[in-house]
Amino acid sequence: MTSNIDYIDKIPNNVDLGRDRVLQRALEHWQPAYMGWWYDMGPNESHNYDVYLRTAISVDPEGWAVFDYIKMPQYRWGIFLVPPTAGREVNFGVNKGQPAWQDVPGEYRSMLRRLIVTQGDTEPASVEQQRMLGMCAPSLYDLRNIYQVNVEEGRHLWAMVYLLHRYFGRDGREEAEALLDRRSGDVDNPRILGAFNEPTPDWLAFYMFTFFTDRDGKFQLSSLAESGFDPLARTCRFMLTEEAHHMFVGETGVGRIVQRTAEVMAENKIDDPDHARALGVIDLHTVQRYLNFHYSVTLDLFGGDVSSNAASFYTTGLKGRYEETKIDDDHVLGDATYNVGTVRDGRVVDEQIAALNALNERLRDDYIGEVQAGVERWNKVIEKTGIPFRLRLPHKGFHRQIGNFAGFHISPQGDVLTEAQWNAKRDEWLPSRSDYTFVQAMMTGRVVEPGKFANWIAPPRRGVHTQPIDFEYVRFN
Ligand code: BYC
């Protein structure tokens, strides 16, 4: 690879890249590999499009969201940490009260690296999962939004790779390379966490993913933003500003789909949601099945309900709870307890365990609270049209592969069933092959006329940034 390109100039940053020769050399190797990955695994056939994107060129209010047309391979994937807080301390665990670490504490090195690698692995995975969706976008507005999400996931990968290169030496560089080698869904070299190996085959799945799974991103990043390892905390804080937009895309995307369906049902005086399909919209039962799938797969991302890993991450001060510093307790959790669900004698029951071992479950519960509020907002959209249907979150134990509920067959209502009973209902509860076929058949071509939307989705309330809805968000050249 040629190394006479000035990568440092091309990479907006507030980490003084230009002064760090070791880091520069590492990035000179990694950057071309990243671009190779983007050309192979980034959004399909998009490299020559001009896309109206926001780019972060600094962390201050004027610089973190600069809008302009850009070709995605020329997007300036920058490295940003929020400014340091003077006197910041480790705020929890056995090291509570020590100055926050500016370098990797030697005894926690491998644990910390593993957290950063796991976080980093999800970012390119999501781009890979979504790479074909541009071909069937419901509008230029939505096409631009998915591309925005994709370039920012790319930037989030950069954020983790910066930490690996800057703080972990040779094994950090190896891990950074491996992040570009694994592939979502690959049998031999898959992504690390389950949900990131599932396909995202259509736009309903994409919106569900950005609503549910990106929100796991928010809660995990928030916990890492509490880390005693200050560079990680500061990196994650900046990533969270971008994550908010991804969840917005998901929430409004599903919201616009249910709005369109419910409006068409109301106009045509249809009571039975199953009859909506004939009118070219996605029936609400199918939306519910997608919801059940993405919610349950995302709940697994929080890890086991009882986890000694999570206890170690916390005790050492590497990964906190959601909004750790706002919680009013001792931040050590020596004697505290927490309730986790489990199956006993064929029923779901609560079991009290040491709070330290239940930190994954606690974060999952924080997440569920926020997700529930979003589902209620979707239901308000349906309610306004007068259609009586309501979306629901299934029971926490439904369709779980990780944790106490894994291996059991639990209905959306929380009943423990036999495998045969569960299988008999499977297609009522989760998207079936025919649901996917139906949804994908609706999304065969993309809508490219500015201001036009596919029949199955309502237009958004407003455009991007200061632009109107019929703005030419993508130019195909
Ligand atoms: N799939 O002790 P346990 C985002 C493994 S999303 C497969 O309960 P732990 C984004 C686990 O690794 C946020 N394997 O787990 C969203 C462990 O393996 P080992 C990503 C799983 O460690 C959208 C074993 O099972 N960030 O940013 O307490 C688009 C025992 O598990 C899974 C993070 O996740 C699974 N679902 O918790 C783009 C933060 N769950 O040790 C981006 C960093 C568990 O036996 N990661 N396992 O080999 C962590 O904090 C933790 O690794 C986890 C797991 C919370 C994920």
Side-chain angles (χ1 to χ4, degrees), residues 114-116 118-120 122-124 126 129-130 149 153 156 192-196 209-210 213-218 220-221 224 239 243 246 297-311 313 319 360 363 402-403:
R114 180 176 145 179
L115 278 172
I116 293 170
T118 308
Q119 177 63 49
T122 63
E123 317 289 1
S126 67
Q129 288 170 298
Q130 295 161 15
V149 169
E153 298 303 4
H156 290 181
I192 296 171
L193 298 174
F196 294 91
F209 183 95
T210 39
T213 310
D214 278 81
R215 197 175 308 275
D216 170 49
K218 169 185 166 176
Q220 298 294 347
L221 289 173
L224 296 174
M239 290 162 77
E243 204 65 47
H246 306 182
V297 165
T298 306
L299 288 186
D300 278 340
L301 287 177
F302 289 82
D305 322 44
V306 185
S307 167
S308 57
N309 286 342
F313 296 152
K319 181 182 176 190
N360 287 342
L363 193 62
I402 302 273

